[in-house]
Amino acid sequence: MDYLRWYRKVMNVDVRNEHHVRHVHLHPDNYLELTLQAPEGEKVVAARRLILATGRDGLGGPGYPAFADKVPAHLRAHSSDYFDYNTLAGKRVGVIGAGASAMDSAATALEAGAHSVDMIIRRNEIPRINKGKGSGSPGLVHGYAGLSDDWKWRIRHYINVQQVPPPKGSTLRVAAHHNARFNVGCPVLDIDVRDDVIYLTTPKGTFVLDFLIFATGFNIDWHLRPEYAELAPLVRTWGQRYHPQPGQEDAELAACPDLGPGFEFQPRAGVDAPVLAHIHCFSYPAVASHGTVSGDIPAISDGASAIARSIAGSLYQEDVADYYAQLEAYAEPELDGDEWTPAGPPLPVEAQ
């Protein structure tokens, strides 16, 4: 936070805290109107361009398996929730998942005094190799967007299927506790709740728990983002345009918006909404179209540069008449006219 405050000061960035976007309106005159809830009340601002830099759940929210509905809200949490882990002291806690957030949630519960933590892991083994890290290169950063659809899908689907392992330090943080248990090969078969006790059935037996944490990632789900209700039905997704080979189906990739070269939304077939191109998706769902340049630390600066160039270029094209007038009016001299002395007439031919 100290760094961000320093950056804000040095770059003179206009940051408006405690401002919530309640609605994005696509104005017929080809600009955007944002309804904001601010400390001083509701207000509407106009924008020529809008960048959605809203993180991992930028076009949705926390993802839950279907069986989560069987657990009352006061007995469960998602790993992304604001949550006081001290309330888990003395409780039997279950964590669904084995990724980075699962390990952090489990470790935090243990350090807060949980009686025990059972990690419920569907896979027979926790992933060990970060395929995403193995794919990283300048070529991928700068060349992914230009790949064919088949190659884009093949790369991202493979990484999705392999999954990313949790960090070693986070895993050791959990393993350091004697009351932590890594239960692999444990898909959830059923859940029953009686008298605020959770009975979670798996192929390896039934776990008796007082609280359940879902470290189950995020879903692209426009319904969870009411502020985008006006544009959601208009945006084209990968699933509407691209059909993978049998066995390569991927619900996450299919839900990703099919973005243009400047991360801009594109309309579905039959939709006339040119203003969509003024909204740029710089959150995780850009991954299908542009790779991991809108969230992962190693390449996010490259992604930011690409989107900035695109917006600067498109604004110039829109305002080319104004820029041409500026060109005509430009009158700052490079020379004052006294830097040289004009030569006289040339000498007669016979004297040269």
Side-chain angles (χ1 to χ4, degrees):
M1 194 64 217
D2 289 341
Y3 166 74
L4 293 175
R5 291 192 177 107
W6 172 86
Y7 188 84
R8 181 191 303 192
K9 179 180 179 181
V10 170
M11 299 301 294
N12 194 29
V13 179
D14 181 7
V15 178
R16 309 287 180 90
N17 293 110
E18 298 181 332
H19 280 57
H20 302 269
V21 177
R22 298 305 186 194
H23 184 69
V24 177
H25 172 54
L26 309 180
H27 199 280
D29 289 336
N30 218 32
Y31 67 91
L32 305 160
E33 286 184 342
L34 277 63
T35 301
L36 306 178
Q37 186 65 47
E40 63 272 20
E42 187 175 278
K43 59 182 179 180
V44 177
V45 299
R48 294 181 62 185
R49 297 294 186 275
L50 175 62
I51 301 174
L52 306 181
T54 43
R56 182 62 178 80
D57 61 343
L59 297 181
Y64 290 93
F67 59 79
D69 290 339
K70 294 184 177 182
V71 183
H74 68 283
L75 298 181
R76 63 179 170 93
H78 192 273
S79 57
S80 65
D81 289 342
Y82 291 104
F83 181 71
D84 182 4
Y85 278 76
N86 291 316
T87 61
L88 300 180
K91 293 185 178 181
R92 299 163 295 184
V93 178
V95 177
I96 306 289
S101 63
M103 295 299 171
D104 287 344
S105 298
T108 305
L110 290 160
E111 292 163 2
H115 175 272
S116 60
V117 170
D118 278 287
M119 301 199 70
I120 313 300
I121 303 166
R122 179 178 55 189
R123 289 183 170 229
N124 290 324
E125 289 204 16
I126 297 173
R128 300 182 186 181
I129 299 172
N130 187 343
K131 294 289 187 174
K133 181 180 177 181
S135 69
S137 72
L140 181 78
V141 171
H142 301 294
Y144 180 92
L147 290 174
S148 68
D149 291 342
D150 289 341
W151 269 116
K152 286 182 179 180
W153 191 277
R154 183 177 179 182
I155 291 169
R156 291 309 315 171
H157 176 67
Y158 177 74
I159 292 174
N160 283 352
V161 170
Q162 296 298 313
Q163 293 192 327
V164 177
K168 185 172 184 175
S170 299
T171 308
L172 291 174
R173 184 179 161 206
V174 177
H177 296 265
H178 68 87
N179 51 342
R181 294 182 285 267
F182 296 81
N183 303 286
V184 296
C186 259
V188 176
L189 301 178
D190 193 19
I191 284 185
D192 186 27
V193 179
R194 301 190 301 271
D195 298 326
D196 277 356
V197 177
I198 303 166
Y199 298 87
L200 190 150
T201 303
T202 75
K204 295 192 173 181
T206 299
F207 295 86
V208 181
L209 307 168
D210 301 306
F211 198 85
L212 192 57
I213 298 174
F214 290 89
T216 44
F218 301 91
N219 289 336
I220 299 173
D221 185 351
W222 294 85
H223 294 96
L224 299 176
R225 294 287 181 167
E227 63 270 33
Y228 304 144
E230 187 174 326
L231 61 104
L234 311 177
V235 173
R236 186 171 77 204
T237 66
W238 269 76
Q240 291 161 351
R241 185 183 60 79
Y242 180 78
H243 303 288
Q245 297 294 322
Q248 296 289 305
E249 295 84 0
D250 193 309
E252 179 182 276
L253 292 179
C256 287
D258 182 24
L259 302 177
F263 296 80
E264 71 273 20
F265 287 134
Q266 300 184 98
R268 298 185 181 190
V271 170
D272 182 22
V275 72
L276 279 180
H278 296 175
I279 306 176
H280 303 259
C281 179
F282 199 61
S283 53
Y284 176 79
V287 67
S289 298
H290 288 273
T292 52
V293 295
S294 60
D296 281 7
I297 291 172
I300 195 168
S301 293
D302 296 285
S305 296
I307 199 170
R309 288 193 299 268
S310 174
I311 291 176
S314 64
L315 289 174
Y316 180 86
Q317 292 165 6
E318 284 184 17
D319 298 340
V320 64
D322 293 333
Y323 283 113
Y324 186 76
Q326 292 178 32
L327 172 63
E328 290 182 312
Y330 184 75
E332 181 181 337
E334 295 288 336
L335 299 173
D336 296 322
D338 58 0
E339 290 85 1
W340 71 92
T341 302
L347 295 172
V349 173
E350 60 272 14
Q352 294 189 38

